[in-house]
Amino acid sequence: MLIAPSILSADFGNLACDVKAICDAGCDFVHVDVMDGHFVPNLTIGPVVVESVAKVATKPLDIHLMVENNSFFVDLFAPLKPKYISFHIEEERHPHRVIQKIRSLGISPAITLNPHTPPEAVEFLLADVDMVLLMSVNPGFGGQKFIPSVLERAKRLKRLIEYHNPNCLIEVDGGVNDQNIQSLKTAGVDIVVAGSYVFGNKEGYKHAIDSLKI
Ligand code: DX5
Ligand code: ZN
Protein backbone atom coordinates (compact mmCIF):
# COMPACT_ATOMS: atom_id res chain seq x y z
CA MET A 1 0.00 0.00 0.00
CA LEU A 2 1.28 3.46 -0.90
CA ILE A 3 0.59 6.26 1.60
CA ALA A 4 -0.30 9.87 0.79
CA PRO A 5 -0.79 11.94 3.97
CA SER A 6 -3.18 14.84 3.42
CA ILE A 7 -1.63 18.10 4.61
CA LEU A 8 -5.14 19.44 5.27
CA SER A 9 -4.65 18.07 8.80
CA ALA A 10 -1.11 19.47 9.18
CA ASP A 11 -0.19 22.43 11.39
CA PHE A 12 -0.39 25.31 8.89
CA GLY A 13 1.67 27.47 11.23
CA ASN A 14 4.52 24.98 10.79
CA LEU A 15 3.70 23.61 7.38
CA ALA A 16 7.30 23.22 6.15
CA CYS A 17 8.23 21.21 9.28
CA ASP A 18 5.21 18.94 8.91
CA VAL A 19 5.82 18.32 5.21
CA LYS A 20 9.48 17.45 5.88
CA ALA A 21 8.45 15.22 8.77
CA ILE A 22 5.97 13.09 6.78
CA CYS A 23 8.51 12.72 3.97
CA ASP A 24 11.20 11.63 6.47
CA ALA A 25 8.65 9.27 8.06
CA GLY A 26 8.38 7.34 4.78
CA CYS A 27 5.26 8.55 3.01
CA ASP A 28 5.06 7.96 -0.75
CA PHE A 29 3.24 11.15 -1.85
CA VAL A 30 2.22 14.46 -0.30
CA HIS A 31 -1.54 14.85 -0.83
CA VAL A 32 -2.62 18.47 -1.37
CA ASP A 33 -6.35 19.33 -1.11
CA VAL A 34 -7.25 22.37 -3.21
CA MET A 35 -10.76 23.70 -2.42
CA ASP A 36 -12.35 26.78 -3.97
CA GLY A 37 -15.36 27.45 -1.71
CA HIS A 38 -17.73 26.66 -4.62
CA PHE A 39 -17.47 22.98 -5.49
CA VAL A 40 -17.05 22.28 -1.76
CA PRO A 41 -18.03 24.43 1.24
CA ASN A 42 -14.44 25.09 2.27
CA LEU A 43 -11.40 27.04 1.09
CA THR A 44 -7.83 25.85 1.37
CA ILE A 45 -4.62 26.75 -0.38
CA GLY A 46 -3.48 28.11 -3.72
CA PRO A 47 -0.27 27.92 -5.72
CA VAL A 48 1.66 30.36 -3.51
CA VAL A 49 1.45 28.07 -0.49
CA VAL A 50 1.76 24.88 -2.52
CA GLU A 51 4.97 26.24 -4.05
CA SER A 52 6.45 26.43 -0.54
CA VAL A 53 5.27 22.86 0.09
CA ALA A 54 6.88 21.69 -3.17
CA LYS A 55 10.21 23.28 -2.16
CA VAL A 56 10.52 21.25 1.04
CA ALA A 57 8.80 18.02 -0.03
CA THR A 58 11.15 15.17 -0.87
CA LYS A 59 8.22 13.05 -2.14
CA PRO A 60 6.05 13.83 -5.19
CA LEU A 61 2.91 15.94 -4.84
CA ASP A 62 -0.55 14.45 -5.39
CA ILE A 63 -2.85 17.43 -6.04
CA HIS A 64 -6.58 16.81 -5.48
CA LEU A 65 -8.66 19.57 -7.06
CA MET A 66 -12.09 20.20 -5.49
CA VAL A 67 -12.95 23.21 -7.64
CA GLU A 68 -15.38 24.43 -10.28
CA ASN A 69 -13.03 25.47 -13.05
CA ASN A 70 -10.67 22.54 -13.48
CA SER A 71 -8.81 23.77 -16.52
CA PHE A 72 -7.97 27.10 -14.86
CA PHE A 73 -6.65 25.34 -11.75
CA VAL A 74 -4.59 22.88 -13.80
CA ASP A 75 -2.80 25.88 -15.31
CA LEU A 76 -2.18 27.32 -11.83
CA PHE A 77 -0.62 24.17 -10.39
CA ALA A 78 1.14 22.60 -13.40
CA PRO A 79 4.32 24.72 -12.99
CA LEU A 80 4.86 23.05 -9.60
CA LYS A 81 5.36 19.72 -11.42
CA PRO A 82 3.21 17.46 -9.23
CA LYS A 83 3.18 13.73 -9.97
CA TYR A 84 -0.66 13.67 -10.11
CA ILE A 85 -3.43 16.18 -10.65
CA SER A 86 -6.91 14.76 -10.03
CA PHE A 87 -10.24 16.47 -10.65
CA HIS A 88 -13.86 15.55 -9.93
CA ILE A 89 -15.92 13.93 -12.67
CA GLU A 90 -19.06 15.51 -11.16
CA GLU A 91 -17.74 18.97 -11.97
CA GLU A 92 -16.52 18.53 -15.52
CA ARG A 93 -18.42 18.49 -18.81
CA HIS A 94 -15.35 17.61 -20.82
CA PRO A 95 -13.27 15.31 -18.63
CA HIS A 96 -11.40 13.78 -21.54
CA ARG A 97 -10.20 17.21 -22.65
CA VAL A 98 -8.93 18.03 -19.14
CA ILE A 99 -7.16 14.67 -18.94
CA GLN A 100 -5.40 15.37 -22.26
CA LYS A 101 -4.40 18.80 -21.03
CA ILE A 102 -2.88 17.44 -17.79
CA ARG A 103 -0.99 14.77 -19.77
CA SER A 104 0.30 17.35 -22.25
CA LEU A 105 1.82 19.28 -19.33
CA GLY A 106 3.88 16.23 -18.33
CA ILE A 107 1.71 15.36 -15.30
CA SER A 108 -0.13 12.09 -14.58
CA PRO A 109 -3.88 12.66 -14.94
CA ALA A 110 -6.28 11.24 -12.34
CA ILE A 111 -10.04 11.38 -11.99
CA THR A 112 -11.95 11.62 -8.70
CA LEU A 113 -15.39 10.22 -7.85
CA ASN A 114 -17.65 11.37 -5.01
CA PRO A 115 -19.09 8.71 -2.67
CA HIS A 116 -22.31 8.33 -4.71
CA THR A 117 -20.70 8.16 -8.15
CA PRO A 118 -20.50 4.63 -9.60
CA PRO A 119 -17.17 3.52 -11.09
CA GLU A 120 -18.93 2.89 -14.41
CA ALA A 121 -19.19 6.69 -14.80
CA VAL A 122 -15.50 6.76 -15.71
CA GLU A 123 -15.25 3.46 -17.58
CA PHE A 124 -14.38 5.09 -20.91
CA LEU A 125 -11.82 7.41 -19.35
CA LEU A 126 -9.82 4.62 -17.72
CA ALA A 127 -7.59 4.07 -20.74
CA ASP A 128 -6.38 7.67 -20.46
CA VAL A 129 -5.78 8.14 -16.72
CA ASP A 130 -3.01 6.90 -14.44
CA MET A 131 -5.12 6.85 -11.28
CA VAL A 132 -8.74 6.94 -10.09
CA LEU A 133 -9.43 8.53 -6.71
CA LEU A 134 -12.50 7.17 -4.91
CA MET A 135 -13.81 9.45 -2.16
CA SER A 136 -14.74 7.60 1.02
CA VAL A 137 -16.14 10.81 2.61
CA ASN A 138 -17.94 13.80 1.14
CA PRO A 139 -15.20 16.14 -0.03
CA GLY A 140 -14.54 19.34 1.90
CA PHE A 141 -13.17 18.46 5.32
CA GLY A 142 -10.71 16.23 7.12
CA GLY A 143 -11.67 14.05 10.07
CA GLN A 144 -14.94 12.62 8.70
CA LYS A 145 -16.24 9.08 9.06
CA PHE A 146 -15.31 6.45 6.46
CA ILE A 147 -18.21 5.48 4.13
CA PRO A 148 -17.89 1.67 3.73
CA SER A 149 -19.61 1.43 0.32
CA VAL A 150 -16.27 2.58 -1.15
CA LEU A 151 -15.13 -1.04 -0.75
CA GLU A 152 -17.68 -2.34 -3.24
CA ARG A 153 -16.95 0.59 -5.56
CA ALA A 154 -13.22 -0.24 -5.43
CA LYS A 155 -13.88 -3.90 -6.30
CA ARG A 156 -16.06 -2.92 -9.27
CA LEU A 157 -13.52 -0.34 -10.39
CA LYS A 158 -10.72 -2.91 -10.14
CA ARG A 159 -12.57 -5.18 -12.61
CA LEU A 160 -13.01 -2.31 -15.07
CA ILE A 161 -9.35 -1.33 -14.69
CA GLU A 162 -8.16 -4.88 -15.35
CA TYR A 163 -10.07 -4.79 -18.64
CA HIS A 164 -9.27 -1.24 -19.84
CA ASN A 165 -5.91 -0.23 -18.28
CA PRO A 166 -4.23 -2.57 -15.78
CA ASN A 167 -1.57 0.05 -14.99
CA CYS A 168 -4.12 2.49 -13.58
CA LEU A 169 -3.95 2.82 -9.78
CA ILE A 170 -6.85 3.10 -7.31
CA GLU A 171 -6.58 5.69 -4.54
CA VAL A 172 -9.05 6.09 -1.65
CA ASP A 173 -9.44 9.33 0.30
CA GLY A 174 -11.28 9.99 3.56
CA GLY A 175 -11.55 8.41 6.99
CA VAL A 176 -8.71 5.94 6.35
CA ASN A 177 -7.11 4.43 9.46
CA ASP A 178 -5.58 1.21 10.80
CA GLN A 179 -9.08 -0.27 11.27
CA ASN A 180 -10.14 -0.17 7.60
CA ILE A 181 -6.78 -0.46 5.82
CA GLN A 182 -6.94 -4.26 5.47
CA SER A 183 -10.37 -4.17 3.82
CA LEU A 184 -9.10 -1.48 1.41
CA LYS A 185 -6.13 -3.65 0.50
CA THR A 186 -8.41 -6.65 -0.08
CA ALA A 187 -10.64 -4.52 -2.32
CA GLY A 188 -7.67 -3.77 -4.60
CA VAL A 189 -6.73 -0.26 -3.45
CA ASP A 190 -3.15 0.84 -4.24
CA ILE A 191 -2.84 4.25 -2.52
CA VAL A 192 -4.57 5.64 0.56
CA VAL A 193 -4.86 9.27 1.59
CA ALA A 194 -4.83 9.77 5.35
CA GLY A 195 -5.05 13.15 7.05
CA SER A 196 -6.27 13.12 10.63
CA TYR A 197 -5.04 9.56 11.23
CA VAL A 198 -1.43 10.52 10.38
CA PHE A 199 -1.26 14.06 11.75
CA GLY A 200 -3.31 13.28 14.87
CA ASN A 201 -1.50 10.06 15.73
CA LYS A 202 -0.25 10.08 19.33
CA GLU A 203 2.56 7.67 18.51
CA GLY A 204 3.91 9.84 15.72
CA TYR A 205 3.88 10.11 11.95
CA LYS A 206 6.20 7.16 11.33
CA HIS A 207 4.12 4.84 13.45
CA ALA A 208 0.95 5.95 11.65
CA ILE A 209 2.45 5.57 8.16
CA ASP A 210 4.00 2.18 9.01
CA SER A 211 0.66 0.91 10.33
CA LEU A 212 -0.96 1.62 6.92
CA LYS A 213 1.86 0.09 4.83
CA ILE A 214 0.49 -3.41 4.54
C1 DX5 B 1 -11.45 15.71 2.01
C2 DX5 B 1 -10.03 15.60 1.54
C3 DX5 B 1 -9.21 14.60 2.23
C4 DX5 B 1 -9.07 14.80 3.71
C5 DX5 B 1 -8.79 13.48 4.33
O1 DX5 B 1 -12.14 16.54 1.14
O2 DX5 B 1 -10.01 15.27 0.16
O3 DX5 B 1 -7.94 14.47 1.60
O4 DX5 B 1 -8.05 15.69 4.06
O5 DX5 B 1 -8.76 13.63 5.71
P1 DX5 B 1 -9.05 12.42 6.71
O6 DX5 B 1 -8.02 11.36 6.44
O7 DX5 B 1 -8.93 13.05 8.04
O8 DX5 B 1 -10.44 11.92 6.40
ZN1 ZN C 1 -8.06 14.75 -0.81
Side-chain angles (χ1 to χ4, degrees):
M1 187 68 82
L2 299 168
I3 316 298
S6 161
I7 60 168
L8 190 58
S9 296
D11 175 359
F12 273 76
N14 290 292
L15 192 53
C17 291
D18 267 357
V19 170
K20 271 189 224 157
I22 53 167
C23 292
D24 291 348
C27 75
D28 298 285
F29 300 98
V30 176
H31 185 83
V32 179
D33 289 304
V34 175
M35 305 183 189
D36 67 349
H38 295 280
F39 177 61
V40 288
N42 198 5
L43 268 176
T44 55
I45 51 180
V48 175
V49 175
V50 182
E51 191 177 354
S52 301
V53 171
K55 274 187 191 145
V56 292
T58 55
K59 302 295 169 63
L61 301 190
D62 169 28
I63 295 186
H64 175 192
L65 298 179
M66 285 160 273
V67 301
E68 277 191 349
N69 190 341
N70 289 304
S71 189
F72 171 78
F73 279 83
V74 167
D75 284 330
L76 279 186
F77 288 98
L80 304 178
K81 296 282 168 222
K83 165 68 181 162
Y84 296 106
I85 292 183
S86 66
F87 64 94
H88 277 257
I89 184 75
E90 300 84 8
E91 192 51 51
E92 186 51 60
R93 280 190 199 172
H94 303 290
H96 193 265
R97 184 178 291 154
V98 177
I99 288 165
Q100 284 177 312
K101 175 172 183 165
I102 296 170
R103 179 83 69 198
S104 75
L105 293 163
I107 297 161
S108 288
I111 188 102
T112 306
L113 282 67
N114 270 336
H116 74 283
T117 305
E120 289 74 15
V122 296
E123 176 168 5
F124 296 103
L125 296 171
L126 291 177
D128 299 296
V129 293
D130 291 347
M131 183 170 82
V132 177
L133 168 49
L134 296 176
M135 292 306 297
S136 41
V137 297
N138 289 297
F141 304 94
Q144 302 181 82
K145 198 167 170 290
F146 182 78
I147 300 172
S149 58
V150 74
L151 298 171
E152 192 195 329
R153 290 198 300 138
K155 287 179 195 158
R156 277 162 58 171
L157 175 61
K158 185 78 181 172
R159 284 198 289 275
L160 296 174
I161 281 177
E162 274 161 8
Y163 182 74
H164 291 282
N165 179 6
N167 294 325
C168 179
L169 301 182
I170 302 178
E171 182 177 48
V172 165
D173 183 359
V176 172
N177 57 38
D178 59 351
Q179 301 299 303
N180 49 36
I181 192 71
Q182 185 57 55
S183 53
L184 290 164
K185 175 95 181 173
T186 307
V189 174
D190 304 288
I191 307 180
V192 288
V193 177
S196 48
Y197 177 71
V198 170
F199 287 100
N201 199 288
K202 290 192 179 69
E203 291 172 79
Y205 301 163
K206 183 160 172 27
H207 172 87
I209 290 169
D210 285 347
S211 71
L212 300 177
K213 279 199 180 236
I214 59 170

